[in-house]
């Protein structure tokens, strides 16, 4: 714990971590707020699902693109532009009079395409704030802290949307995005760090085995988490508090795991070991759909999630040039978004066929594949024990601090 306190005392770390968490907080709110808002307008969960699918598709497409643009036009320019466009699109969904579903889908697509690339930006800046020995604990602390988004975000969104108004819920998410975005963009570190223009083609960074491994493993792990969410809701029902409590325990387990294990050295088996822990917890969860059993087993599974994410972020950082880091994290994020969408869809079909157990079977299967992939392709996993995990320097002088 002392290592994490030392990190937070490092100049700029607490400010960047706090601001990016506030700016990304809508990620835990907008899906539920959109779902309730569109369903109330069109009286159709199918219509709401189409809007959410369009939003997720936009985010998946934009991830590598907007991240790469930060190396071309600068972080602040890209972040300001995307923040303006995204908040306008989201605000229009909330405040516009009743619109046809295709127009809501178009607005959702625009919101997704313009979602500010704050996560790739902050993970690109981190290696410039701390020394290489502190980078793995910093990524772990970041992965643990982001669980607050998934613990508190859905609860706040549901309470506001059901007890006040879904419009208010969406606009509160917009407020978080604006306040957090301005706070993050105005941070001195965002102005000091310049990402060099990448000389390689878009997508070439995926030819680096650790980046591809992190993208595939993230796809499988987040797909498993999405299947768990669907399974928990199907088990307890949408209106019962048990669903929110169990999912909060799942996220809290991840937070604890990140703080407890995330600082450990990263060897070639690190990702496989952490994913095996996730698999064991989810496989046990599928046995009995009881509140206390699910709470205990999902807490166990959660212990491996943030540490696994920390490994993914670190092996990406250590394997790419600094000019490629933002795009690499953009691809990792896209993999996770696609995993979430496909995990939810597969879980839905299995719930229809086999009740809620089917969703947990899918979750356990995806987690097992998430363990199997880094096991089979362990040669793609760098051994970073005692090594520098900072990005590879580019082959030309890089100005990182402006006078």
């Amino acid at each position: 714990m002392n290592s994490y306190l030392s990190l937070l005392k490092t100049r700029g770390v607490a400010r960047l971590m706090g601001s990016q968490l506030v700016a990304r907080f809508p990620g835990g709110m907008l899906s539920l707020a959109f779902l309730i808002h569109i369903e109330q307008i069109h009286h159709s969960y199918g219509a709401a699902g189409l809007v959410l699918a369009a939003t997720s598709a936009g985010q998946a497409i934009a991830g590598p693109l907007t991240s790469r643009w930060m190396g071309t036009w600068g972080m602040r320019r890209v972040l300001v532009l995307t923040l303006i466009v995204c908040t306008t699109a989201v605000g229009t969904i909330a405040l516009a009079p009743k619109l046809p579903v295709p127009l809501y889908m178009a607005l959702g697509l625009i919101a997704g395409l313009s979602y500010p690339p704050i996560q790739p930006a902050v993970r690109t800046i981190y290696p410039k704030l701390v020394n290489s020995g502190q980078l793995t604990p910093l990524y772990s602390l970041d992965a643990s802290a982001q669980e607050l988004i998934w613990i508190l975000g859905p609860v706040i969104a549901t309470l506001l949307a059901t007890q006040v108004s879904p419009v208010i819920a969406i606009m509160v998410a917009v407020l978080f995005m604006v306040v957090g975005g301005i706070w993050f963009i105005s941070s001195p570190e965002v102005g000091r760090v310049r990402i060099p223009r990448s000389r390689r083609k878009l997508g070439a960074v995926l030819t680096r085995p650790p980046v591809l491994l992190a993208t595939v493993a993230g796809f499988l792990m987040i797909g498993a988490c999405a299947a768990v969410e669907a399974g928990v809701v199907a088990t307890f029902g949408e209106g019962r508090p048990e669903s929110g409590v169990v999912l909060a325990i799942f996220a809290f387990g991840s937070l604890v795991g990140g703080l407890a294990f995330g600082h450990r050295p990263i060897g070639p088996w690190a990702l496989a070991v952490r994913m095996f822990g996730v698999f064991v917890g989810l496989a046990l969860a599928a046995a009995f759909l009881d509140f206390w059993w699910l709470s205990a087993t999902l807490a166990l599974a959660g212990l491996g999630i943030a540490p696994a994410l920390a490994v993914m972020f670190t092996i990406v950082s250590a394997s790419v040039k600094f000019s490629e880091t933002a795009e690499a994290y953009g691809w990792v994020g896209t993999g996770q978004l696609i995993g979430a969408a496909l995990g939810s869809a597969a879980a839905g079909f299995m719930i229809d066929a086999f009740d809620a157990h089917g969703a947990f079977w899918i979750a356990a299967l995806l987690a097992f594949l998430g363990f199997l992939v880094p096991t089979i392709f362990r040669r793609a996993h760098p051994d970073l024990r005692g090594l520098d995990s900072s990005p590879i320097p580019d082959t030309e002088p890089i100005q990182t601090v402006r006078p």
Side-chain angles (χ1 to χ4, degrees), residues 25-403:
F25 202 79
M29 296 181 64
L30 284 176
S31 293
L32 281 171
F34 279 177
L35 179 72
I36 296 170
H37 181 57
I38 302 301
E39 192 280 331
Q40 285 190 3
I41 291 174
H42 286 280
H43 308 290
S44 168
Y45 281 105
L50 289 173
V51 176
L52 292 179
T55 306
S56 297
Q59 285 184 267
I61 293 168
L65 290 173
T66 53
S67 300
R68 187 181 176 92
W69 289 346
M70 290 191 292
T72 304
W73 299 329
M75 275 192 279
R76 277 184 169 154
R77 289 181 180 177
V78 173
L79 291 170
V80 168
L81 176 62
T82 53
L83 180 64
I84 292 171
V85 175
C86 187
T87 53
T88 301
V90 173
T92 303
I93 290 175
L95 300 175
K98 181 177 179 179
L99 299 173
V101 173
L103 281 181
Y104 279 122
M105 290 177 64
L107 288 168
L109 180 64
I110 293 170
L113 287 170
S114 60
Y115 204 84
I118 286 178
Q119 182 171 286
V122 73
R123 288 175 184 155
T124 299
I125 295 172
Y126 280 156
K128 299 299 180 181
L129 300 182
V130 299
N131 61 49
S132 59
Q134 295 176 303
L135 198 53
T136 298
L138 179 55
Y139 282 133
S140 177
L141 182 62
D142 180 86
S144 301
Q146 76 175 5
E147 293 301 333
L148 295 173
I149 297 171
W150 310 110
I151 294 172
L152 300 176
V155 174
I156 294 173
T158 303
L159 285 175
L160 289 174
T162 57
Q163 303 303 316
V164 184
S165 161
V167 171
I168 296 298
I170 295 172
M171 294 310 296
V172 168
V174 170
L175 181 63
F176 275 115
M177 188 182 295
V178 171
V179 172
I182 293 173
W183 184 15
F184 181 81
I185 293 167
S186 63
S187 298
E189 294 76 16
V190 176
R192 293 190 186 119
V193 177
R194 183 181 66 85
I195 305 173
R197 184 191 298 266
S198 177
R199 296 185 176 184
R200 305 178 77 197
K201 293 181 179 179
L202 178 67
V205 71
L206 288 173
T207 61
R208 297 187 181 272
V211 177
L212 186 58
L213 175 62
T215 301
V216 174
F219 163 85
L220 293 167
M221 187 178 74
I222 301 303
C225 292
V228 166
E229 291 177 2
V232 168
V233 171
T235 299
F236 299 108
E238 295 180 9
R240 294 177 61 185
E242 289 95 331
S243 297
V245 173
V246 170
L247 291 175
I249 291 172
F250 186 33
F252 184 73
S254 176
L255 188 154
V256 172
L259 296 177
F261 308 119
H263 61 284
R264 294 190 173 185
I266 294 177
W269 291 96
L271 186 54
V273 168
R274 288 157 173 78
M275 285 303 304
F276 184 73
V278 176
F279 161 67
V280 170
L282 296 186
L284 290 172
F288 304 103
L289 301 188
D290 169 78
F291 174 80
W292 294 110
W293 178 258
L294 285 178
S295 297
T297 54
L298 291 182
L300 175 64
L303 290 174
I305 292 174
L309 287 170
V311 172
M312 295 177 206
F313 301 150
T314 305
I315 65 174
V316 168
S317 172
S319 305
V320 300
K321 292 182 178 180
F322 182 63
S323 59
E324 299 173 327
T325 51
E327 183 189 342
Y329 288 125
W331 283 111
V332 173
T334 290
Q336 293 175 2
L337 283 166
I338 295 173
L342 295 183
S344 295
F349 285 116
M350 291 295 285
I351 289 169
D352 288 340
F354 302 101
D355 71 38
H357 281 92
F360 288 97
W361 296 340
I362 287 292
L365 174 61
L366 290 172
F368 178 71
L369 293 176
F371 155 71
L372 205 59
V373 167
T375 299
I376 296 173
F377 299 101
R378 61 186 178 278
R379 292 186 178 181
H381 191 303
D383 185 350
L384 299 177
R385 291 173 295 186
L387 298 180
D388 188 346
S389 55
S390 300
I392 302 168
D394 287 81
T395 55
E396 61 181 3
I398 302 169
Q399 179 186 353
T400 59
V401 180
R402 294 177 180 174

